[in-house]
Structure formats: structure tokens, C-alpha cells
Amino acid sequence: MSGTRPINCIIPPYILDKLLDSENSEVRQAALDTMLLTARLRGERAIRSSFTGAAAPGDGRRTVFDCEQEEFLRNAVLARPEDGPESTDPAVNRAFDALGLTRDFYKEVFQRNSVDGQGMRLDGYVHFGFKVNNAFWDGRQMLFGDGDGQEFSNLTGSLEVISHELTHGVTDHTSGFVYHNQSGALNESMSDVFGSLVKQWSLKQRAEEADWLIGADVWTPGIGGDALRSMKDPGRAYNNPQFGKDPQPDRMSRFIHLPDTKRGDFGGVHFNSGIPNKAFYLTAVRIGGFAWEAAGTIWYEALKASSAEDQFQDFATTTFQKAGELFGAGGPEQAAVLSAWQEVEVPIRGVPTGVARIRSFAANGSGGAGREDGLAALARQIGTLNDKVTQLAKDVAELKGTR
Ligand SMILES: [Zn+2]
């Protein structure tokens, strides 16, 4: 785990930037404080990561602390331990419940023991700082601001915001997707995918029933129907005079090139995550049913099999391979994965682009049973070809290693 990895937070810099332009001085002040605080936390995380001592394991035992609007965790008071009674403070209980739902989701759906897979304890700090417009995961614990009450309500108010943040921990402990450019956008996307799945799982929603929104409950409480991001419609999560239009692209031809700096959102990690987000959404609705079952399992296994510097095409190829391994080559699950990535214009390695035309032809409903069989056979051939390419790549890598 790299010490230079930035602290993870839910609110993308392009939204905090807009808050600085607000006509309301209180909103401007809260935004400025949030930015300064984020910078400070980043520094603390860089220092902390040089110590190897991780949080002690404990089957994901939760402890919620109250910062009482201060910014120093050592002054926080114990508000609710795992076996303690309910608090009179709703923010404490919301954080406690969301940590528990996220932990239980990973345990029951993927047999994963907490964030690190080894029972890492889950500590949450509520009322962090004064009117802080953000929620953070600093590699060890979650911090929740209260929001300024105008552009943001209390950040404990959104389950998928909390599960988004904890999933950054899961990614750190699996692929370790490096937080810049395409691997960073994959990192962000994993958090949206599993963040949304935790919510869908807790509500027992089918893929077609879910709203696929991130942060709808905490962002701009005065504006209904909007969210920080939409996995179903990247680029259409919001459109209002203050924040402008949601800038997320939904396909590669709209990919946004930004510098790999803090101001450039580390190469647009919160922008381009719209592309893999949409691929997951399409896969889930095309398979149908509960998204955490087939689609979620394919993505989770692909996350575990991925490498830190992987690009969109690498991850797409891994999901295609995992779909074949888990549910059969040429099956409907693998076909859904293939068509989803093709729609967002991410090619899968070893798959000829002509397949896209065959796919859309079949999807248009004009294909009879015979044509479906032909498609399945083709997908199987592609799967075999893919395995050969992967093996070849491994052989080449080994040859290079022995040189
Ligand atoms: Zn994030």
C-alpha cells in the first residue's frame, strides 16, 4: 500500500470547487474549511501509512465515536460500541447501522470478513469538525462531517456513501487500484458499484427497481431527484444553476483527459468512473434479478484478480473471463458482460470488434434460437482464445523475468 495514496472522500473536488463560488458566505466558508481539513487529513494519512501497525482484528466490530464538532480524533468520546445500547443521537445510530450493513453484506454475499478480509475493526467518527461537507476513509476509520445544512445534510444520512468509503478499504486490500487516471477511476467505480449493491441488498431491490444513484440523500436536500452521481445515467445526475451539469462521461469517446494532480482530480478519477459504472449497471440489468448475485460476484472476483495499474480494458477483460469461469463460457452472464463493455466502448482483449454488430443484431430481437446458438458458440470460441492470449502474456512475462 502506497503512502502517497490520497485519503478517500465522497465529495469530488469539482463539486467542492463550485461551493467556493457560492453567493452564501456560510456555504463558502464551510467549503473552504472542508478543503483545508481534507488537505490536513491527507498529510496525516501519509505519515500514518509509514507505520505498519494496522487496526487490531475483531470480526469487524464497530465502535462509533462523537467528535463533538472538533477535528481531532483523540478528543472524541465513545458514543456506541458494538454491544452497547442505542444512542439518543441519530447520527451515531445511522453510522453504526451503515457500518454493520456494509460488513454484513461482504460477509454474507462474498464471505469476506470485514474490509481487509481479516476482521478489521470498524471505527466511525461522527460530527467531525464544524459543518464539514464530506465523509472520509483514511485507511483505518471513517469520519463523517455534519454538512453545512444547505448544500449537504449530515453525511451519515446515506448508506451508499458509507459503503462507498468502506469499499475503498476493500480495494486497498485486493487489487490496490492506484488512485490516478484509469486505475483510479476503476477504484472510484468499485466504491460506487459495491456501495450501491449494499443499499440494494439491504432493501432487497432487484436491478431494475434500484435507483442506481450515489448520495441522493445527503446532497442538496433542497433539490429533489438529484444525486452526486448516477450509475444508470452518468452525466445526468444533476443539472442546476449552482453546480452546472453532471460532468461524468458514459462511454470512451467522451473520456475526460485531466492532469494527474489534485486539481485535476488525479486524472479525472471521479469523472471517468462513469464509464465502468455504466458497464456494471448494464451488465446487472441485462442479467436481471438481484444485482449482487451474478453481476456483483463477477465484479468482486474480477476486483480480487486485478492488478494495481490495470486500465479499463484490463478490467473489462477480467470481468469477461470471470463471467465465463463462474457461469459458463458463452452463457447469458458472459454475453451481458460483453455487450455492456461494448456499449461503453471499452474493447475486451481478444474479442474482435465485429462481435459488437452480431451482438446488437441479436439484442434487437430479430435473432431466432439458431442465431442465439451461433452467438453462444462464438462467445465460447472467444473465451478459449482469450485464455490462450492470457497464457501467452504470462509466458512472455516469465521470459522477461528470467532474462
Ligand atoms: Zn471515493
Side-chain angles (χ1 to χ4, degrees), residues 8-10 164-165 168 179 188 191 229 270:
N8 295 113
C9 50
I10 190 67
H164 171 109
E165 290 304 319
H168 279 306
Y179 206 70
E188 267 306 311
S191 280
R229 288 184 289 280
H270 290 91

Side-chain angles (χ1 to χ4, degrees), residues 71-275:
E71 295 173 7
F72 295 94
L73 304 188
R74 73 181 88 91
N75 298 339
V77 297
L78 177 66
R80 187 170 174 188
E82 181 69 46
D83 307 316
E86 211 171 289
S87 167
T88 51
D89 179 349
V92 168
N93 295 328
R94 282 195 301 262
F96 185 85
D97 291 344
L99 292 172
L101 283 167
T102 307
R103 175 194 64 192
D104 296 349
F105 167 82
Y106 276 107
K107 183 106 198 174
E108 286 180 30
V109 179
F110 301 132
Q111 294 76 54
R112 182 180 186 84
N113 188 3
S114 191
V115 163
D116 62 352
Q118 295 179 17
M120 182 185 199
R121 45 182 290 188
L122 301 174
D123 291 345
Y125 290 80
V126 302
H127 305 303
F128 175 65
F130 183 65
K131 292 188 175 179
V132 171
N133 276 330
N134 225 334
F136 311 87
W137 165 257
D138 77 347
R140 258 197 346 197
Q141 55 233 336
M142 278 234 42
L143 320 177
F144 305 93
D146 286 340
D148 59 16
Q150 302 187 54
E151 307 302 346
F152 286 92
S153 53
N154 191 295
L155 274 293
T156 56
S158 168
L159 173 57
E160 76 272 12
V161 161
I162 295 169
S163 44
H164 171 109
E165 290 304 319
L166 288 176
T167 299
H168 279 306
V170 174
T171 300
D172 277 357
H173 287 278
T174 49
S175 72
F177 283 139
V178 182
Y179 206 70
H180 69 165
N181 301 326
Q182 285 195 23
S183 57
L186 285 170
N187 190 319
E188 267 306 311
S189 178
M190 295 303 117
S191 280
D192 282 351
V193 164
F194 295 105
S196 180
L197 287 184
V198 170
K199 185 174 180 183
Q200 293 177 35
W201 176 79
S202 76
L203 297 170
K204 300 290 167 269
Q205 279 179 330
R206 300 168 65 81
E208 53 277 15
E209 293 166 339
D211 65 12
W212 297 94
L213 297 174
I214 305 295
D217 300 327
V218 290
W219 194 45
T220 57
I223 304 175
D226 68 345
L228 292 170
R229 288 184 289 280
S230 167
M231 302 179 68
K232 182 179 183 173
D233 269 323
R236 289 165 192 259
Y238 59 87
N239 190 355
N240 63 56
Q242 194 192 343
F243 292 99
K245 189 182 162 296
D246 171 15
Q248 278 210 313
D250 66 351
R251 63 193 62 199
M252 281 312 275
S253 51
R254 295 176 184 160
F255 187 91
I256 295 175
H257 295 273
L258 286 167
D260 182 13
T261 59
K262 187 168 145 294
R263 282 209 70 87
D265 190 28
F266 302 104
V269 298
H270 290 91
F271 293 79
N272 295 315
S273 57
I275 297 166

